[in-house]
Amino acid sequence: FSKELLESEIFGHKAGAFTGALKDKKGLFEEANHGTIFLDEIGEMPVEMQSVLLRALEENTITRIGATKPINVDVRIITATNKDLSKCISEGSFRADLYYRLSVINLNMVPLRQRREDIPVLADYFLKHFAASNNKPMKGISTEAMTAMMEYAWPGNVRELRNAVERGVIVSKNGYIEAEDMPEVITGRIK
């Protein structure tokens, strides 16, 4: 996202504020007023945008792009990142004041490779979900496919597992996710 597009998504805009802004648009903060906003990959936010976000959080107001009148908002923010924000602060790519404003409760997620006991439970959940959403009757995951999943390092964590199971459901020919239905990187058939 460009800074302007990101700002428009978060804070909204008035009609005519920029090319393509044909009508007024509420941003995420207005839509989530008295609720919660989840901002994924906060560590990727441009520094210029971080100052605008900080001001909104400090003042509990936002101003749509192209508007002059501030709008009061009351939102709870949940953020996520895979970056080391302390390192980003020292490198100058993340504002310390925004970090301290957001850092009320920190949860560090344990990667999937360190909680392998979750793999069968998550795989079964995703199997049922994708079987239903693809209207495809599925019986389960073969022992060979599950063994490959249990041995794989999962650098993409749960998202990668989710995608692997979705692929397995889609390409399955017999109602079971077999090892050959899994991405080659998981089964070790990398060329």
Side-chain angles (χ1 to χ4, degrees), residues 52-191:
V52 178
L53 177 60
L54 179 63
R55 186 170 42 253
L57 294 175
E58 291 294 326
E59 298 174 3
N60 291 325
T61 63
I62 56 103
T63 304
R64 290 181 183 176
I65 296 175
T68 55
K69 182 180 176 190
I71 300 167
N72 292 325
V73 290
D74 175 24
V75 295
R76 179 182 318 127
I77 307 289
I78 298 174
T79 63
T81 186
N82 63 2
K83 289 192 167 193
D84 178 348
L85 291 182
S86 298
K87 183 178 177 187
C88 293
I89 290 168
S90 66
E91 294 171 348
S93 63
F94 200 83
R95 293 179 57 116
D97 49 0
L98 179 59
Y99 173 79
Y100 294 119
R101 179 64 176 86
L102 293 172
S103 188
V104 177
I105 297 174
N106 290 314
L107 302 173
N108 291 315
M109 298 300 296
V110 178
L112 190 56
R113 68 183 164 276
Q114 292 178 9
R115 51 188 174 100
R116 294 193 180 279
E117 66 278 4
D118 290 348
I119 293 171
V121 175
L122 290 167
D124 184 59
Y125 170 79
F126 293 136
L127 174 83
K128 290 174 181 168
H129 171 78
F130 290 116
S133 66
N134 286 285
N135 198 25
K136 188 168 182 180
M138 294 295 294
K139 300 172 191 162
I141 300 171
S142 76
T143 302
E144 185 182 29
M146 184 57 72
T147 300
M149 287 193 283
M150 294 297 289
E151 292 174 357
Y152 183 63
W154 299 106
N157 285 307
V158 175
R159 288 178 181 145
E160 186 180 15
L161 175 62
R162 179 183 191 275
N163 290 343
V165 174
E166 180 178 19
R167 171 200 163 113
V169 168
I170 291 168
V171 302
S172 172
K173 294 174 188 70
N174 65 1
Y176 287 93
I177 294 178
E178 303 288 351
E180 59 267 13
D181 300 328
M182 303 297 293
E184 290 182 5
V185 68
I186 294 169
T187 59
R189 294 178 281 142
I190 304 171
K191 295 177 179 153

